[in-house]
Amino acid sequence: MYERKIPVDLDCPLRLTISLIGPKWKSCILDELRHGPMRPSQLHKALPEATPRVLDMQLKEMVEDGLVEKTIYPELPPRSEYSITPLGSTLMPIIDAMMAWGERNKELFERKYGKADDERK
């Protein structure tokens, strides 16, 4: 597992939460898993901007943190699925609030980055 160079400040609830969902794709992974279990290939297709290596590393960390559960089915070829745990589900209001904030402030991002490709046509 990844070992932090700077330890997490256990006295700061904000830093603790950010340490769990701060890395770029973790919130997106939780958002995808809210709808039900997904196989690794489904997650890779749902988040094509993320490299497979990064997604796999972040999924592994989320399993270790107890936010996501990995189920491996004993069949040939082996099949696995990821699902959100009850602890991971408790983060959904935070993710929903982040999504709502992004939607309310969409114009800020459009000014900064331009409109989405499908809106330019």
Side-chain angles (χ1 to χ4, degrees), residues 68-81:
V68 169
E69 180 178 68
K70 181 178 183 179
T71 303
I72 301 172
Y73 296 94
E75 53 190 42
L76 289 175
R79 177 174 63 98
S80 62
E81 283 183 340

Side-chain angles (χ1 to χ4, degrees), residues 4 30 33 40 48 57-59 62 66 72-74 79 81 83 86 89 94 96 98 108 116 118-120:
R4 295 182 172 274
L30 287 173
L33 293 177
M57 284 176 34
Q58 291 191 1
L59 280 163
M62 294 171 77
I72 301 172
Y73 296 94
R79 177 174 63 98
E81 283 183 340
S83 56
S89 293
I94 296 169
D96 290 338
M98 290 172 26
L108 167 74
D118 58 347
E119 292 178 358
R120 291 181 192 169

Side-chain angles (χ1 to χ4, degrees), residues 18-82:
I18 289 172
S19 74
L20 290 179
I21 63 170
K24 188 172 184 176
W25 298 106
K26 288 185 178 183
S27 298
C28 297
I29 291 168
L30 287 173
D31 184 50
E32 291 296 331
L33 293 177
R34 80 164 70 209
H35 306 294
M38 294 179 79
R39 296 183 67 179
S41 60
Q42 292 172 306
L43 283 165
H44 291 284
K45 286 178 187 170
L47 303 167
E49 303 90 359
T51 65
R53 180 178 177 272
V54 168
L55 267 184
D56 292 341
M57 284 176 34
Q58 291 191 1
L59 280 163
K60 183 179 178 184
E61 289 174 11
M62 294 171 77
V63 168
E64 291 170 354
D65 291 336
L67 302 177
V68 169
E69 180 178 68
K70 181 178 183 179
T71 303
I72 301 172
Y73 296 94
E75 53 190 42
L76 289 175
R79 177 174 63 98
S80 62
E81 283 183 340
Y82 290 95

Side-chain angles (χ1 to χ4, degrees), residues 93-106 109:
I94 296 169
I95 292 169
D96 290 338
M98 290 172 26
M99 290 172 65
W101 186 91
E103 190 62 38
R104 280 193 311 273
N105 294 285
K106 190 175 182 178
F109 299 106

